[in-house]
């Protein structure tokens, strides 16, 4: 069990309603959840189950319609824009499905973009070495493969030494082989840096890597699985 | 360099085409602003210094003849600081090798001292020696027109006596900045000159020893002018005073003021227009450019960049574009301004030019442009910041397209799929489409504003010189002359028709308005000088009452049927009430007209005339000119063809330079606006278009969808642009109305055609450039990346 560890996030009765064009979509319908320091959590669920919404609220990219999300004992819901910005800057690393690299900046510069505003960052070169891209420092996103771009995105996310690493479908746009490499990097960051890691996926095979697997369905937590043993990413096939 | 700054430079480099187009628009706006601003400053400064340093007089009066002893009484008037009495004479000149009649004005200068007022700026040579009777200084313009150097001989007819004079110097005077032959509206330096001669020598030649016929006065305080004028009139009336006046009615000053007023108008209207369009474009472009960076803004925010840092990043981008644009604009504007100011200096013959670029001018241009750009940027940033980062990074919701009006009307059969896409896209973002149309329409409008004047000027000449003033030759007498003079003119060689007129200086009053002008008496049924009504139809001269130039009527606030007070400013100076019978359409000058015999009665004089219009046989012109030169009574001879040429030359020198610049800039702005619209559309829709390509659409088809929209918007914008252009021209025409000339609002079809051609050519060129980019669209890359 993980209860003896520090509780990083605590969500209480979270709901989120989006206006989508002319209709309203209820993305979260009352989620209660706690995440602990250093654990590797996979959010699993079909598209539309609310996992991205949950991740965005965890990362301070979005705010809930009702309910509370606490980080380190403080409610993110009462943060104003500047406080949320500081929260993201100091505590959270993001990895997105489509990498969201700045196309006009090289790999090194994309990482530097974040390290320049962080308090105690890894040097960009070290962060890129960590993800196995020491020889691609000065390549532009357009000169990198999808997997390489995603690894730049991971380097960018971890270079600030965040407390939390949030990954939204990090392998969604990648083939198996590349996906596995990317997952290995995330796994390594989690183990070596002790970063609390949340990975969204709709790929059940990835769940085997996690400490805990949270199944979301239709805006609610359907069930939570605990893996006694985390599987190495290299052993995953899909 | 910070990573964010690298992003800035790289992105600036990527959008260099667009950035250059935006900069060009700014350059044009700023250059026009600086060019006119600096020119206006320079002209104002220069004139002020010239007037001050060369002691331009405040009050002027001409009279028949008064003893020199009157000077003391004038000097003793309250408010008078300086008095200079002079002898001024109208003369005929002969310059070797020039057959046409030349008239001149001979003005005395004190013999042994500098004039206290209206000093000369000596360009060449020296002033006449006090002990010589035959030395003369001439106006530089006249000397140059005839290539006369010091030492040149002139033959002059003064008071009917022929005299040989030696040119000893050339000079400029604040009194004759504009050198206009009486009755002319535009300078002609070959046929009219000003000459200065020693007071004693001219007194002897003109029979004015110990007397004077002209007096100029400097005031202690300009506010004393009305009182001094009244007192001066009282003193001079017994000596045949022709009415004292202040600078406002001094010919050179008045024409200069009118010119300055016109330059001020252009200097205000064009920059406001161009800068306004540039700022509008900047606002729109920045708004859309930043709108397209929505996902990147979301990403930056996700990594903990605050709104302030992001705003600063984009403001830097704007700053670079704007500051480079402003810098180049100021540089170009300063250069063009110097050129324009020099043109005016040559035209006005100022002895020097005080040209400098003021801090306010440069700073104002920078502030206006930065303001415009920042407003657009702030607008877009506010929209981007309002979104939560999660939302900003999501691709925009499929827009709420709907069936277009045409489809809702059930006419979709008429539309192919691509046409439907074009229409729906336009209809979905009506504001954006409207702004695009407005931008193109403005471009079309400013193009017209630069161009329309050429055709208008042609029209003015047609009406004034072909319908109204149809004489070949106009002669003016030195003083009112008996009708018998007709006979002597009639008998001159080549003269086919003579029509006389009487002109008297008057002040017209109606309620609180008053105006100094000329009251002209003409015989009814004239064929050489004809009066036209508002529709350019011939107007019959009524036997009673006066007709006024339409603009004069407006200035006085009178209409047909009102009764006007006429104060005659010569002779016995009668004051009369006269009914206004109607208004006369005239584009050049202003005057009041009445029946010749009626005017003679009003002046309480016998049948007298001031001049005559002649129709002549071309073959006998040279002989006629020679004979006219021998008639001492004739003060001036104006040749109509030459007047037309003078008019054109004046217009060319003052107006056409900047209308040319304005046209060039308008074309650049038109292209800048349209190219930017096309480029932004391409960037905004490249994903959609790439998707269509993947679905099997050809390059031509996706080009059609993108460029069809641009084409449609352009076609809608052109008629709107015509309306905008007409509005701008109306503003210009209304502002440019002066006693010198009124430009009619006549927009030649060629002006519309030119504006439409510029817009269409810009659209085609932009379309071609964008089409090249479309052809190179990397389908995979576009679809793989989301931003």
């Amino acid at each position: 069990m993980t209860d003896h560890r520090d509780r990083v996030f605590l969500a209480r009765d979270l709901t989120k309603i989006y206006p989508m064009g002319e209709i309203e979509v209820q993305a979260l319908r009352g989620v209660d959840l706690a995440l602990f320091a250093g654990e590797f959590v996979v959010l699993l669920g079909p598209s539309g189950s609310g996992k991205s919404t949950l991740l965005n609220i965890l990362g301070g990219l979005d705010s809930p319609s009702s309910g509370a999300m606490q980080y380190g004992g403080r409610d993110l819901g009462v943060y104003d824009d500047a406080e949320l910005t500081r929260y993201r800057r100091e505590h959270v690393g993001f990895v997105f499905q489509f990498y969201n690299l700045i196309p006009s900046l090289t790999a090194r510069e994309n990482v530097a973009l974040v390290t320049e505003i962080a308090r105690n960052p890894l040097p960009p070169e070290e962060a890129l070495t960590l993800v196995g891209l020491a020889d691609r420092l000065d390549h532009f996103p357009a000169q990198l493969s999808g997997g390489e771009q995603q690894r730049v995105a991971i380097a960018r996310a971890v270079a600030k030494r965040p407390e939390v690493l949030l990954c939204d479908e990090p392998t969604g746009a990648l083939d198996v082989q590349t996906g596995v490499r990317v997952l290995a990097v995330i796994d390594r960051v989690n183990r070596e840096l002790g970063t609390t890691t949340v990975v969204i996926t709709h790929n059940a095979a990835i769940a085997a890597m996690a400490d805990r697997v949270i199944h979301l369905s239709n805006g609610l937590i359907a069930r939570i699985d605990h893996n006694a043993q985390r599987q190495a990413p290299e052993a995953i096939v899909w | 360099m910070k990573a964010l700054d690298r992003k800035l430079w790289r992105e600036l480099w990527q959008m260099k085409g667009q950035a250059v187009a935006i900069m060009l628009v700014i350059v044009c706006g700023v250059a026009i602003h600086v060019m006119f601003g600096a020119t206006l400053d320079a002209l104002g400064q220069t004139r002020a210094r010239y007037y001050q340093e060369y002691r331009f007089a405040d009050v002027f009066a001409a009279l028949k003849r008064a003893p020199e002893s009157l000077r003391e009484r004038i000097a003793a008037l309250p408010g008078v600081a300086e008095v200079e009495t002079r002898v001024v004479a109208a003369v005929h000149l002969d310059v070797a090798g020039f057959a046409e009649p030349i008239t001149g004005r001979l003005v005395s200068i004190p013999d042994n001292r500098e004039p206290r007022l209206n000093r000369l700026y000596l360009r060449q040579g020296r002033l006449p020696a006090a002990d010589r009777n035959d030395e003369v200084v001439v106006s530089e313009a006249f000397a140059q027109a005839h290539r006369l150097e010091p030492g040149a001989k002139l033959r002059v007819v003064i008071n009917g006596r022929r005299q040989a004079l030696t040119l000893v110097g050339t000079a400029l005077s604040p009194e004759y900045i504009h050198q206009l032959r009486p009755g002319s509206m535009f300078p002609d330096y070959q046929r009219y000159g000003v000459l200065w001669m020693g007071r004693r020598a001219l007194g002897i030649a003109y029979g004015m020893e110990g007397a004077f016929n002209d007096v100029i006065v400097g005031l202690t305080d300009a506010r004393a002018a009305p009182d001094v004028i009244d007192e001066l009139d009282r003193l001079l009336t017994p000596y045949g005073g022709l009415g004292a006046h202040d600078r406002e009615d001094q010919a050179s000053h008045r024409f200069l003021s009118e010119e300055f007023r016109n330059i001020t108008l252009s200097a205000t209207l064009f920059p406001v227009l161009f800068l306004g369009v540039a700022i509008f474009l900047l606002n729109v472009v920045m708004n859309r450019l930043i709108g397209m960076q929505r996902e990147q803004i979301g990403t930056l925010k996700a990594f903990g960049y605050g709104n302030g840092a992001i705003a600063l990043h984009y403001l830097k981008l704007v700053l670079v574009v704007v500051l480079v644009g402003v810098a180049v604009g100021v540089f170009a504007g300063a250069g063009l301004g110097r050129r324009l100011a020099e043109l005016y200096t040559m035209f006005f013959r100022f002895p020097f030019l005080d040209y400098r670029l003021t801090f306010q001018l440069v700073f104002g241009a920078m502030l206006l442009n930065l303001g415009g750009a920042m407003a657009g940027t702030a607008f877009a940033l506010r929209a981007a910041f309002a979104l939560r980062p999660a939302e900003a990074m999501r691709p925009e919701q499929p827009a709420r397209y709907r069936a277009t009006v045409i489809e809702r009307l059930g006419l979709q059969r008429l539309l192919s799929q691509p046409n439907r896409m074009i229409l729906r896209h336009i209809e979905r973002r009506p504001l954006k489409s409207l702004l695009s149309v407005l931008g193109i329409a403005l471009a079309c409008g400013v193009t017209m504003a630069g161009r329309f004047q050429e055709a208008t000027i042609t029209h003015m000449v047609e009406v004034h010189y072909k319908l109204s003033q149809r004489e070949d030759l106009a002669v003016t007498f030195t003083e009112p002359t008996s009708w018998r003079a007709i006979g002597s003119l009639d008998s001159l060689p080549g003269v086919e028709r003579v029509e006389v007129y009487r002109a008297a200086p008057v002040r017209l009053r109606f309620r609180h308005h008053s105006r100094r002008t000329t009251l002209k008496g003409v015989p009814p049924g004239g064929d050489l000088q004809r009066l036209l009504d508002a529709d350019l139809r011939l107007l019959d001269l009524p036997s009673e009452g006066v007709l006024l130039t339409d603009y004069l009527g407006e200035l006085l606030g009178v209409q047909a049927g009102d009764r006007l007070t006429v104060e005659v400013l010569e002779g016995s100076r009668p004051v009369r009430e006269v009914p206004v019978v109607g208004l006369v359409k005239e584009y050049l000058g202003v005057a009041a007209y009445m029946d010749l015999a009626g005017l003679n009665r009003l002046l309480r004089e016998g049948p007298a005339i001031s001049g005559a219009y002649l129709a002549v046989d071309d073959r006998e012109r040279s002989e006629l000119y020679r004979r006219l030169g021998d008639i001492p009574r004739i003060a001036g001879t104006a040749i109509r063809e030459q007047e037309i040429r003078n008019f054109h030359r004046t217009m060319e020198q003052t107006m056409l330079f900047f209308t040319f610049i304005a046209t060039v800039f308008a074309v650049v702005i038109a292209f800048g606006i349209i190219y930017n619209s096309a480029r932004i559309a391409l960037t905004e829709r490249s994903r959609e278009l790439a998707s269509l390509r993947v679905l099997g659409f050809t390059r031509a088809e996706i080009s059609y969808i993108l460029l069809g929209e641009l084409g449609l918007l352009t076609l809608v914008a052109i008629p709107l642009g015509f309306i905008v252009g007409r509005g701008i021209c109306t503003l210009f025409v209304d502002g440019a109305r002066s006693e010198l000339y009124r430009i009619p609002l006549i927009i030649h079809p060629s002006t519309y055609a030119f504006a439409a051609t510029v817009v269409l050519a810009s659209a085609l060129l932009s379309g071609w450039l964008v089409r090249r980019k479309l052809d190179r669209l990397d389908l995979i890359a576009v679809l793989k990346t989301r931003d």
Side-chain angles (χ1 to χ4, degrees), chain A residues 55-166:
Chain A
L55 191 84
N56 287 339
I57 295 174
L58 282 172
L61 294 179
D62 211 342
S63 52
S65 303
S66 72
M69 171 65 81
Q70 283 185 6
Y71 171 78
R74 290 199 57 196
D75 188 359
L76 294 180
V78 303
Y79 280 22
D80 65 15
D81 193 64
E83 286 170 314
L84 276 178
T85 300
R86 198 161 61 237
Y87 162 67
R88 292 194 298 265
R89 178 188 293 210
E90 291 170 4
H91 304 287
V92 189
F94 286 102
V95 176
F96 304 102
Q97 181 178 1
F98 293 103
Y99 334 132
N100 286 47
L101 298 179
I102 304 294
S104 56
L105 296 179
T106 63
R108 191 207 308 259
E109 289 159 355
N110 260 288
V111 179
L113 195 62
V114 170
T115 60
E116 278 167 6
I117 57 167
R119 276 182 306 181
N120 178 29
L122 297 172
E125 296 76 15
E126 196 178 311
L128 285 163
T129 308
L130 189 71
V131 298
L133 289 175
D135 54 344
R136 303 294 238 196
L137 296 176
D138 295 319
H139 286 59
F140 283 94
Q143 298 166 311
L144 297 170
S145 72
E148 286 171 329
Q149 287 186 52
Q150 192 58 299
R151 281 187 282 151
V152 173
I154 294 169
R156 184 173 63 176
V158 302
K160 67 164 87 159
R161 303 182 208 264
E163 274 88 51
V164 213
L165 179 62
L166 303 175

Side-chain angles (χ1 to χ4, degrees), chain B residues 300-420:
Chain B
L300 288 173
K301 285 183 79 172
F303 290 122
Y305 277 91
N307 287 350
I310 296 171
L312 189 68
H313 171 63
Y314 287 104
L315 284 183
K316 277 187 198 165
L317 182 84
V318 174
L319 216 61
V320 170
V321 175
V322 172
L323 288 185
V324 171
V326 170
V328 177
V330 166
F331 189 73
L336 288 170
R338 178 168 281 281
R339 176 92 190 94
L340 185 62
E342 280 169 0
L343 270 178
Y344 277 121
T345 306
M346 264 166 28
F347 177 69
F348 292 131
R349 296 190 172 267
F350 286 130
F352 45 77
L353 174 64
D354 284 347
Y355 185 82
R356 70 209 155 87
L357 213 52
T358 61
F359 173 74
Q360 292 100 303
L361 202 60
V362 176
F363 197 67
M366 197 174 72
L367 229 53
L368 282 171
N369 280 283
L370 273 182
M374 283 187 180
T377 311
F379 224 62
L381 283 177
R382 214 181 52 185
F385 289 161
L387 296 174
R388 301 204 167 278
E391 250 175 290
M393 281 187 294
R394 251 195 308 269
E396 271 188 84
Q397 285 301 313
R400 272 176 261 174
Y401 282 94
R402 52 183 195 158
T404 59
V405 176
I406 296 174
E407 291 167 89
R408 289 197 293 280
L409 289 174
L411 301 173
Q412 63 265 43
R413 280 174 297 106
L414 302 178
L415 294 175
S416 65
Q417 193 62 32
N419 284 336
R420 244 180 268 181

